[in-house]
């Protein structure tokens, strides 16, 4: 298959022109990787009307020669941004976009100083990230492999969920298995939460030991070939009480409702509302109480790709229309303070029809 970089640069330049920009500067690693294939930790990519230039240092001479497509590599001694500024001064690019959310004040001052007063700087609205939100077939194939790796890790650690294991031990086992299966590493700090701690959506693993009759939430992400997966499963150690089974069923229904609505042309907010309204139909306990939507305290999902949180965001009221090729998580949850939480998270590709689910771990309620 032909490398996708030339085509991505063509599309980026069209967006730049539409925004009145001649060139753009990116320092954000996933954006650089996406546009020219370079995966080193230090680089600045300047996309010009004709051609692109990657500035990096001598530690990356060989790596850049091997990885970079469709960009000229400049090996710089001294600050990268001073070299970028000097280049702009020389070619006289009048209007340059930059990533306002990615450059520090100091970096911006440095490049501006070197470029001189004839260059106009425009904080952009992340044109690269808008491109990245729509995945091509090659990216989706890689994400499918990452998602199946994450799903295998979940299945491999199930036998370890026994009384006495500590949260951080289980987190370590998860990350170790990711590496053994070929992942570069975790996409984020693995979440393992037992019992009442599972009511914290972003619990950090502690020394807490698992006891019988407790909920277990595992939220894991692996990076394979630069692409992330993001998977959450909730299981129960023992026979779950009816109330907890009811919550699980409600979260499962909320996720299914979001999945049914998810397709090209609907807004991100409609997908979020589908999950929320399914939870609204369930009560805290069989005898009544508040609707379970009151215990769903975060958004329904987020884009996923080279980074674990990308556009689009599936949150309440979001007007952004989804496009075929968006890859998003669907992760409704219910969190009851002092008791515990349940979250089910899968990764889905948006298509004109039914969403394609990438994660393969079994979704039914497991009582171990
Ligand atoms: Zn997650
Ligand atoms: Zn997530």
């Amino acid at each position: 298959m032909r490398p996708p970089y030339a085509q991505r640069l063509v599309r980026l330049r069209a967006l730049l022109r539409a925004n009145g920009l001649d060139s753009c500067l990116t320092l954000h690693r996933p954006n650089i990787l996406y546009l020219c294939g370079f995966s080193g930790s230090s680089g600045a990519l300047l996309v010009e009307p004709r051609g692109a230039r990657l500035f990096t240092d001598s530690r990356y001479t060989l790596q850049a020669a091997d990885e970079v497509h469709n960009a000229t590599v400049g090996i710089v001694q001294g600050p990268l941004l001073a070299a970028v500024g000097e280049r702009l001064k020389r070619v006289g690019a009048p209007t340059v976009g930059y990533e306002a959310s990615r450059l520090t004040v100091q970096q911006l001052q440095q490049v501006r100083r070197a470029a001189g007063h004839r260059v106009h700087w425009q904080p952009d609205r992340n044109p690269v990230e808008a491109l990245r939100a729509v995945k091509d077939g090659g990216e989706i194939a890689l994400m499918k492999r990452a998602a199946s790796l994450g799903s295998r890790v979940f299945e491999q650690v199930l036998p370890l969920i026994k009384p006495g294991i500590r949260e951080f031990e289980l987190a370590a086992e998860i990350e170790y298995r990711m590496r053994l299966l070929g992942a570069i590493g975790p996409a984020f700090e693995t979440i393992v939460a037992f019992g009442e701690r599972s009511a914290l959506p972003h619990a950090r693993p502690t020394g807490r030991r698992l006891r019988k009759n407790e909920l277990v939430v595992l939220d894991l992400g692996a990076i394979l070939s630069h692409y992330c997966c993001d998977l959450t499963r909730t299981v129960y150690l023992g026979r779950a009480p009816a109330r907890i089974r009811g919550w699980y069923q409600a979260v499962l229904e909320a996720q299914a409702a979001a999945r049914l609505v998810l397709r090209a042309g609907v807004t991100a907010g409609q997908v979020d509302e589908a999950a929320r309204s399914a939870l609204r139909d369930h009560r805290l306990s069989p005898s009544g109480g508040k609707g379970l939507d009151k215990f769903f305290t975060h958004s329904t999902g987020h884009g996923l790709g080279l980074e674990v949180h990308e556009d689009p965001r599936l949150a309440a009221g979001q007007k952004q229309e989804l496009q075929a090729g968006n890859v998003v998580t669907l992760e409704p949850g219910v969190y009851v303070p002092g008791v515990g939480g349940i979250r089910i998270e899968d990764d889905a590709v948006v298509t004109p029809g039914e969403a394609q689910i990438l994660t393969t771990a079994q979704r039914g309620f497991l009582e171990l």
Side-chain angles (χ1 to χ4, degrees), residues 25 43-46 48 53-57 73-91 107 110-116 121:
L25 172 64
L45 183 71
L46 183 64
E48 299 177 318
R53 261 167 201 274
L54 176 76
F55 299 80
T56 184
D57 64 66
V73 177
I75 302 296
V76 176
Q77 276 160 2
L80 293 186
L81 285 163
V84 172
E86 283 156 20
R87 162 83 190 171
L88 287 168
K89 193 173 191 174
R90 209 163 47 243
V91 299
Q107 286 171 323
Q110 195 175 35
V111 71
R112 286 181 91 133
R113 205 178 303 127
W121 293 91

Side-chain angles (χ1 to χ4, degrees), residues 289-350:
K290 287 187 199 162
L292 283 183
D293 59 308
K294 297 279 186 293
F295 301 87
F296 176 28
T297 47
H298 54 75
S299 55
T300 295
H302 52 85
L304 186 71
L306 291 171
E307 291 177 277
V308 78
H309 292 110
E310 299 188 351
D311 289 337
R313 320 269 155 171
L314 305 181
Q318 282 276 339
K319 297 276 184 282
Q320 190 185 349
E321 262 189 28
L322 300 177
Q323 296 179 61
N326 287 153
V327 178
V328 294
T329 66
L330 295 174
E331 50 178 305
V334 159
Y335 309 93
V336 183
V339 182
I342 288 162
R343 179 166 66 255
I344 304 170
E345 178 180 30
D346 287 278
D347 305 341
V349 185
V350 177

Side-chain angles (χ1 to χ4, degrees), residues 159-232:
L160 305 178
I161 301 178
K162 292 259 154 59
I165 191 165
R166 295 179 190 274
E167 288 173 345
F168 66 69
E169 287 171 340
L170 197 50
E173 293 283 356
I174 287 170
E175 294 181 9
Y176 171 65
R177 281 169 170 75
M178 283 178 194
R179 297 297 292 256
L180 283 184
L181 290 172
I184 304 169
F188 52 87
E189 207 178 324
T190 303
I191 295 171
V192 175
F194 298 155
E196 75 293 338
R197 297 196 74 258
S198 60
L200 307 168
H202 267 199
R204 264 207 149 136
T206 66
R208 164 86 153 72
R209 289 183 190 278
L210 181 61
R211 297 188 290 261
K212 199 112 178 84
N213 301 318
E214 283 190 326
L215 281 164
V216 175
V217 169
L218 308 177
D219 187 348
L220 60 98
I223 308 175
L224 181 66
S225 308
H226 302 299
Y227 283 86
C228 303
C229 67
D230 191 359
L231 171 77
T232 305

